[in-house]
Amino acid sequence: MSIILITGVSSGIGKATAIKFAQQGWDVIITARRKDRLHQIASEIKSVTGSSALPLDFDVQNRNETEQRLNSIPENWKSIDVLLNNAGLARGISAIQDGDIEDWETMIDTNIKGLLYVSKVIMPWMIERKKGHIINLSSVAGKEVYPGGNVYCATKHAVDAINKAMRMDLLEYGIKVTSVNPGMTDTEFSLVRFKGDSGRAHRAYSGYEPLHADDVAEVIYFAATRPSHVCLNEIILTPTAQANAILPIKRTL
Ligand code: 8X3
């Protein structure tokens, strides 16, 4: 029986990936801030797939809460095969000179510090078993910067750097490290970025076919199920209608 721990499971790529792995018979530990949604998803996973789902509600921005909740995982769930660091968000798309410092802090605290807090607890368990796979959800924004992307892009560049560093430092323990870098994906991402402006969020994904959460979940599943001697280091995927982080520029509408 294989176990995956996924952060940020209350919607989008996190939720789709949890369901995908559960459908394939994996046991899933799912974490998110939104307790109601998380418990609803855990029940859905159990009833639809028959796999076990362990929900843990906490905010990855809160170091103490993250450490406490992860350390409370029952022993029989601690042999985690795959950690998917998925929790992350974008807030705002202002030019940097007009940026909101609270938005910057939320992105830095979630996308960088949260990923580190979670990994710091789980890595020793993988090191002890000399086995494991850490998959970091980055973005095309981790490869290129675009106008208005400033701090969000910086956080995803940091994820890419951490991803490379983890692969070096964990090499001797046989732990795989992969980054998955999607482009425009039709999830709540834009709704959060545009702070609830659903018209703007909708326009970001209209007029072309964006990636869907399931498309990314499939790629993550593929990466996680290669033979033990194969590690996919980095995967960049975009909708066919998107060449890179700059083209198209619909995100700024
Ligand atoms: C989300 C994709 O292209 O809006 O990370 O930065 S993008």
Side-chain angles (χ1 to χ4, degrees):
M1 195 67 77
S2 300
I3 301 175
I4 183 168
L5 187 152
I6 307 175
T7 62
V9 169
S10 54
S11 65
I13 294 169
K15 179 180 173 185
T17 308
I19 292 170
K20 172 83 189 169
F21 277 74
Q23 281 169 337
Q24 301 301 322
W26 289 55
D27 288 334
V28 294
I29 304 172
I30 54 176
T31 88
R33 275 177 304 180
R34 290 176 280 186
K35 191 173 181 175
D36 292 349
R37 273 216 206 182
L38 186 68
H39 284 262
Q40 196 185 325
I41 291 166
S43 314
E44 197 181 318
I45 287 172
K46 277 181 208 157
S47 64
V48 173
T49 70
S51 289
S52 302
L54 177 68
L56 297 175
D57 57 284
F58 62 89
D59 183 349
V60 297
Q61 294 180 82
N62 183 323
R63 179 179 159 191
N64 286 338
E65 199 181 49
T66 300
E67 288 172 355
Q68 278 169 15
R69 300 295 275 134
L70 291 176
N71 280 312
S72 76
I73 292 174
E75 284 305 316
N76 58 327
W77 281 89
K78 281 188 175 169
S79 45
I80 292 166
D81 298 284
V82 177
L83 163 62
L84 174 61
N85 279 315
N86 166 73
L89 78 177
R91 293 286 288 170
I93 193 150
S94 308
I96 196 160
Q97 63 274 22
D98 301 324
D100 179 326
I101 290 179
E102 279 190 18
D103 287 345
W104 295 353
E105 287 180 339
T106 302
M107 291 188 279
I108 290 167
D109 290 351
T110 307
N111 301 359
I112 306 175
K113 292 167 72 177
L115 180 149
L116 291 169
Y117 296 157
V118 172
S119 302
K120 187 76 169 81
V121 177
I122 308 300
M123 286 187 295
W125 303 347
M126 291 184 169
I127 287 170
E128 201 182 323
R129 298 172 67 222
K130 290 199 164 28
K131 188 171 178 276
H133 190 172
I134 299 174
I135 303 181
N136 295 307
L137 217 291
S138 183
S139 166
V140 290
K143 298 294 178 191
E144 293 151 310
V145 177
Y146 50 79
N150 46 70
V151 175
Y152 175 67
C153 296
T155 64
K156 290 301 186 178
H157 275 67
V159 171
D160 257 26
I162 292 165
N163 187 69
K164 288 181 188 137
M166 279 179 166
R167 194 174 322 100
M168 289 177 180
D169 293 349
L170 295 169
L171 180 65
E172 64 184 289
Y173 304 104
I175 296 169
K176 299 187 195 188
V177 182
T178 301
S179 78
V180 175
N181 298 55
M184 301 288 277
T185 310
D186 186 3
T187 60
E188 288 181 5
F189 177 86
S190 286
L191 196 62
V192 173
R193 165 169 266 175
F194 298 132
K195 304 180 180 181
D197 182 339
S198 53
R200 225 174 153 195
H202 177 71
R203 285 195 296 281
Y205 303 121
S206 63
Y208 71 105
E209 181 153 15
L211 293 175
H212 305 288
D214 284 340
D215 298 322
V216 183
E218 277 197 14
V219 167
I220 293 167
Y221 185 75
F222 179 82
T225 52
R226 293 310 83 213
S228 59
H229 67 290
V230 178
C231 177
L232 296 177
N233 292 359
E234 301 178 12
I235 305 167
I236 303 173
L237 67 155
T238 64
T240 307
Q242 181 182 17
N244 57 30
I246 322 288
L247 292 172
I249 53 170
K250 286 184 68 74
R251 71 167 69 75
T252 60
L253 292 174

